[in-house]
């Protein structure tokens, strides 16, 4: 498969730079042990620029099975609670929406994220047991 060049790849690499800096500040030992990312084959993820960035820093990629939204923490753990929180709200401006989103994220307990990430282990195992089929049907 040929690697694509995309303007979004530089933005994604910038996001990875910010993530790397946050890890360095908050969990410095993690950078020495190695970082493992799970991402899909979206163009910014598979672009040459991104692949070069990942190789330069030695970050490992766990592939995401195609069409398996049930294995994306954002889909199985984040969007439902966020949708319930925003349900019935109306925003005058995009800035109002962004402010509400920031407030919601700022008030989430760290355990919310821990539970979502930890549940990946059992979901991956189900995917393996089902030979790549959907985990949640």
């Amino acid at each position: 498969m040929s690697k694509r060049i995309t303007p979004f790849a530089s933005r994604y690499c910038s996001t990875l730079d910010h993530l790397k800096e946050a890890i360095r500040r908050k969990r410095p030992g993690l950078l020495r042990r190695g970082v493992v990312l799970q991402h899909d084959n979206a163009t910014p993820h598979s672009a040459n620029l991104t692949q070069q960035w990942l190789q330069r820093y030695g970050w490992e990629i766990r592939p995401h099975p195609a069409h398996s939204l049930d294995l994306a923490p954002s889909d199985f753990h984040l969007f439902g609670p966020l949708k319930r929180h925003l349900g019935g709200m109306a925003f005058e401006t995009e800035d109002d929406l962004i402010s509400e989103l920031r407030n919601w994220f700022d008030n989430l307990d760290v355990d919310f994220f821990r539970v979502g990430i930890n549940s990946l282990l059992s979901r991956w195992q189900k995917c393996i047991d089902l030979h790549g089929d959907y985990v949640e049907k």
Side-chain angles (χ1 to χ4, degrees):
M1 169 186 268
S2 66
K3 299 296 181 183
R4 296 170 291 249
I5 297 174
T6 169
F8 298 111
S10 62
R11 177 71 177 129
Y12 185 62
C13 288
S14 176
T15 299
L16 291 174
D17 285 333
H18 291 293
L19 176 61
K20 183 173 150 290
E21 178 58 24
I23 293 170
R24 187 194 61 74
R25 283 192 327 272
K26 297 175 183 180
R27 305 275 310 267
L30 184 60
L31 288 177
R32 286 188 297 279
R33 288 192 306 272
V35 175
V36 178
L37 290 178
Q38 176 189 351
H39 65 210
D40 57 19
N41 199 31
T43 304
H45 300 165
S46 61
N48 282 331
L49 184 64
T50 302
Q51 296 305 308
Q52 291 166 2
W53 191 102
L54 295 167
Q55 282 184 323
R56 179 172 54 245
Y57 295 108
W59 288 21
E60 182 181 345
I61 298 301
R62 293 275 189 248
H64 188 280
H67 311 297
S68 291
L69 297 177
D70 48 344
L71 293 178
S74 56
D75 290 315
F76 73 76
H77 189 71
L78 175 65
F79 292 148
L82 179 58
K83 183 178 176 181
R84 285 189 293 279
H85 174 76
L86 295 175
M89 292 185 183
F91 301 95
E92 295 290 323
T93 67
E94 185 177 325
D95 287 341
D96 292 342
L97 170 60
I98 290 170
S99 176
E100 182 59 35
L101 289 171
R102 285 186 174 144
N103 182 52
W104 186 75
F105 278 106
D106 287 346
N107 287 300
L108 286 176
D109 187 75
V110 70
D111 284 335
F112 175 82
F113 298 101
R114 185 175 292 120
V115 167
I117 297 301
N118 287 339
S119 65
L120 265 177
L121 299 174
S122 63
R123 286 174 174 270
W124 267 100
Q125 188 58 54
K126 285 181 186 177
C127 183
I128 291 167
D129 293 346
L130 294 170
H131 306 288
D133 202 357
Y134 287 107
V135 172
E136 302 297 327
K137 288 191 175 195

